[in-house]
Amino acid sequence: MMKFLRSPKLLRAAMFYVIASISFALFAALSVGAQTTKQAAIGDYERQSGREMLRAVKADIEKYYYDASYHGIDIEARFKEAEEKIKKATSNGQIYGIIAQILLDFDDSHLAFLPPRRAAKVEYGWQMQIIGERCYVIAVKPGSDAEAKGLKPGDKVISVDGYEPTRDILWKMQYSYYSLRPRPGMRVIAQSPGGEPRQLDVLAKITDGKKVIDFLQGNQSDANDYFRELDNEARLDRHRFSEFGDELIVWKMPGFNLYDEKDVDEIMSKVKKHKALILDLRGNGGGYVVMLKRLLGYFFDKDIKIADVKYRKKVEEEIAKTRGTGGFKGKIIVLVDSRSGSAAEMFARVIQLEKRGIVLGDRSAGAVMQSVVYGHTVGMESIVPYGVNITNADVIMTDGKSLEKTGVTPDEVMLPTATEMATNRDPVLARAAELLGFKLDAEKAGALFPIEWTK
């Protein structure tokens, strides 16, 4: 089960999880979302499939959602209204948007519809992020249309297709653009440091894929293509390290994505050879509870209560078991930013509350609930997999407070400037090294873990 899930990247990972679990259970021909960005016309079959998805999502919410009052939402009325809208929908994208909107109305960071994957892959060629309270371009892919149009790291993003990206809505925008309704491009109003605002029509790179993936025995080609895509995703989500003798190790953790405790143990055997650790959780959207608990156990000589987990009908304590003499005794600094969510936020907050180390960077996402992914299919001969990420519990830290909507405020707030982003300097990592008595300039720090892109 996937818990503490939040970021759009992890939502996409959840969709891989849904497809993989379904495909190998059924050995069937899987139909990915037949819609491309052109939004082809649909018929009664697609609308009926949409209504089946809607009913399954409603059933999951009624059975598993942690709040029996559903945040005061009349789900009978909302789902009935949505069903009427689906009858009039003219594209699969509209259907997915109608289903997703009901869940977005809960204003719950972990409740999300996981639509069928698209046949066409869309890559926008640039990334944006909230830094402090403003949105900036943090990376542009070489050779992309974004680069050709002049979009650059450090540019302030004033609007995207007429919407201002703020802390409250950026993740919803990314969810829409990457998962719900990918677009062939977007109109961006951006401003470089010291420059004037400019309008850019940035086109996406669209790669057509198969609408049906055949997992039946004997069709090795489709299986190979599928696993190649999984490997590509895994490459971007690998854990990276930079070591400076036995004095310092910097661990760039993309997510709490290690389910096997032995994998955590293997990494920590490397970490323990050093006197200090900088754990870089910037951009880390969360992941598995089991990894969170295992990792925290390495930093304390006693069992540590992480939080109270409040389900619909019960409350359970989440405890990290100490690794005892096998733990890490050195100093630790944790880096967070506006994309650090869920398990990443909980790790940082425990380190703060227990006064085990220093948290440095930007205020985190404020997306801390517990959730589980439930996979479904529609269709018979061609099976369309989809899913829903259901919030099944609230999480209350040991200070009696929830991090949902508030996030973790670092012990030392430090933000890169637009100029530093433009020149690929990382003053936050450099400052962390300085606090540990290690000299690492911002330029060198910025080169340690370069942005990577899908092939």
Side-chain angles (χ1 to χ4, degrees), residues 221-239:
S221 176
D222 280 4
N224 288 342
D225 290 344
Y226 175 73
F227 283 113
R228 192 176 298 112
E229 187 173 354
L230 286 179
D231 288 341
N232 193 19
E233 290 283 335
R235 177 184 65 85
L236 298 181
D237 289 335
R238 74 188 187 282
H239 296 246

Side-chain angles (χ1 to χ4, degrees), residues 189-255:
I189 306 296
Q191 182 178 13
S192 294
E196 294 294 323
R198 63 194 190 281
Q199 178 179 297
L200 305 170
D201 290 324
V202 181
L203 301 179
K205 179 183 178 182
I206 301 174
T207 305
D208 291 330
K210 290 185 177 181
K211 295 182 179 180
V212 176
I213 303 174
D214 190 354
F215 277 92
L216 292 172
Q217 290 182 342
N219 194 329
Q220 193 65 37
S221 176
D222 280 4
N224 288 342
D225 290 344
Y226 175 73
F227 283 113
R228 192 176 298 112
E229 187 173 354
L230 286 179
D231 288 341
N232 193 19
E233 290 283 335
R235 177 184 65 85
L236 298 181
D237 289 335
R238 74 188 187 282
H239 296 246
R240 293 187 281 174
F241 305 87
S242 185
E243 300 179 69
F244 300 87
D246 63 356
E247 294 295 318
L248 173 66
I249 183 170
V250 183
W251 177 2
K252 179 67 174 177
M253 185 197 293

